[in-house]
Each structure stands twice: as C-alpha cells, then as structure tokens.
Amino acid sequence: MQIPIILIGPMCAGKTTVGEKVATKLNIPQCSMDEVRFSYYREIGFSKETQQQIREKQGFQGMYAYWKPFEAYAVKRILEEHKHAVIDFGAGHSVYEDIKLFQQVEKTLKPYQSLFLLLPSVDKEESIQILHQRLHQITDDKDVFELNKHFVTHPSNQKLAKQTIYTKEKSADTVAEEIISCISNISKE
C-alpha cells in the first residue's frame, strides 16, 4: 500500500471526514494539518502577535500572505512525522501564489503517489457553489468565500494532485472506498 495517503483541496471539500474514513478502513492513523500546523509554524518563527498586527493593517489577504512560508514548511514537517498515516492538508497548504514556495512544496510532494485532490465537481463553478453552501453553515465571512473560490480556481491543486476524486452526491464512505481502490491500483503498478 502507498502511504502516506495525502488529501488536498479547498475548504469544506470533505478532506478531514474522508481522511477519517480511509484511516479507519485501512486501520492506520489519521492526521489533520489543521490540528498540528501552528506547532510547525512556530518552529520557524510564526508569531500570533505578528499575525494579528498584519491582519489589523493589511486585512485578511495580508494574513494569508504571512502564512504561506509557514504552510510550505508545515507540508515538509507533517510528512516527516506522519509517514504511515492518512494526512488531510488545510486548504491553503496546497495553493501557492509564489512560484518558489510552490516549487518547494511540489518537490516535497513529488515522491508521494497517493496524493488526492477532493473537489465536488469537474465543473469549477459548480464546485464553488457547492462549497459556498457548505461554508455558509460555518461562516458568513466574505473573505473566506473569496479565498475558497481562489483555492478552487488556482492551478496549484491540479498540478500537485496525482489523482482527483469528484465527490458530488457521494457519501464519505463511498469516496473513501474510491480512494482505497485507487491506492490498490497504484500499488499494483
């Protein structure tokens, strides 16, 4: 079996839920980047105070830009520490506007064949609409909606993913089984 199994995609794509299902079915650990990211960020100088100052002066986009080098570092660190797990990335951990950061993450992820992008639909606009409906259940922040639209339309996820799984109208169990089937096929190659 090809491990770790890495799930990427925009917010509310189901990465954590599906990751838990895959981990349970394969009887391996599951690690969510959102649970460990700040401990990795602090290893290279992340400061909540600096984050807050940037957000107050530059808004959400400034804070997002501040996170990017820390996110790239966290990708490397989570893969070092969780070699035998299902890992679901935070939505921003696979999208990079800075080409150097993207290339760093691309190089880090290159050896991993079990790297799946989760999206609701092959149609980007439909994916955005479905994800917006899901996001409305947890926030009304317009910045978050715009950022998630960016995560769907930016080419980073498609360039990094080895396979894309479309999840519209599928249960988390069905998506998990599809991922496990893909992993089995990768292992046979």
Side-chain angles (χ1 to χ4, degrees), residues 1 16 20 22 27 40 53 63 65 94 99 111-112 114 127 135 138 145 169 172 174-175:
M1 179 176 54
T16 301
E20 290 170 354
V22 172
N27 196 29
Y40 295 141
Q53 290 168 359
M63 183 179 72
S94 56
I99 190 66
Y112 301 99
S114 296
S127 285
L135 271 172
I138 56 175
F145 287 94
E169 298 176 359
T174 300
V175 174

Side-chain angles (χ1 to χ4, degrees), residues 76-91:
K76 179 176 157 280
R77 288 291 289 119
I78 200 167
L79 291 167
E80 289 171 352
E81 287 195 346
H82 299 278
K83 295 181 189 315
H84 303 286
V86 178
I87 302 169
D88 60 277
F89 281 16

Side-chain angles (χ1 to χ4, degrees), residues 23-182:
T24 299
K25 290 174 186 292
L26 295 177
N27 196 29
I28 60 175
Q30 187 259 352
C31 183
S32 180
M33 179 71 86
D34 286 341
E35 292 179 11
V36 297
R37 68 187 183 134
F38 287 109
S39 64
Y40 295 141
Y41 294 4
R42 284 190 294 273
E43 291 176 0
I44 60 167
F46 172 82
S47 159
K48 283 197 174 199
E49 294 79 20
T50 302
Q51 172 187 281
Q52 187 58 34
Q53 290 168 359
I54 290 170
R55 180 148 192 177
E56 288 169 6
K57 291 179 184 171
Q58 300 174 26
F60 187 83
Q61 290 299 324
M63 183 179 72
Y64 172 74
Y66 175 66
W67 283 344
K68 299 318 286 181
F70 300 108
E71 290 175 341
Y73 175 78
V75 167
K76 179 176 157 280
R77 288 291 289 119
I78 200 167
L79 291 167
E80 289 171 352
E81 287 195 346
H82 299 278
K83 295 181 189 315
H84 303 286
V86 178
I87 302 169
D88 60 277
F89 281 16
H93 291 88
S94 56
V95 175
Y96 295 89
E97 297 74 26
D98 179 308
I99 190 66
K100 288 184 181 179
L101 287 175
F102 175 77
Q103 289 171 340
Q104 176 185 327
V105 171
E106 184 178 42
K107 183 179 178 184
T108 299
L109 293 174
K110 187 175 182 178
Y112 301 99
Q113 295 307 305
S114 296
L115 199 163
F116 297 89
L117 168 59
L118 300 186
L119 284 173
S121 171
V122 68
D123 180 270
K124 289 182 182 180
E125 285 304 316
E126 183 178 29
S127 285
I128 291 165
Q129 291 305 315
I130 291 168
L131 295 168
H132 276 20
Q133 290 171 359
R134 294 176 188 170
L135 271 172
H136 268 299
Q137 297 174 10
I138 56 175
T139 186
D140 287 325
D141 187 332
K142 289 184 173 126
D143 287 333
V144 173
F145 287 94
E146 283 304 308
L147 184 59
N148 213 34
K149 181 178 180 181
H150 175 69
F151 291 154
V152 173
T153 59
H154 194 277
S156 286
N157 277 323
Q158 284 78 18
K159 288 180 181 177
L160 293 174
K162 302 300 192 299
Q163 300 192 52
T164 301
I165 306 288
Y166 298 106
T167 62
K168 179 181 156 190
E169 298 176 359
K170 295 178 185 172
S171 70
D173 281 311
T174 300
V175 174
E177 289 296 339
E178 192 172 336
I179 288 170
I180 291 166
S181 176
C182 288

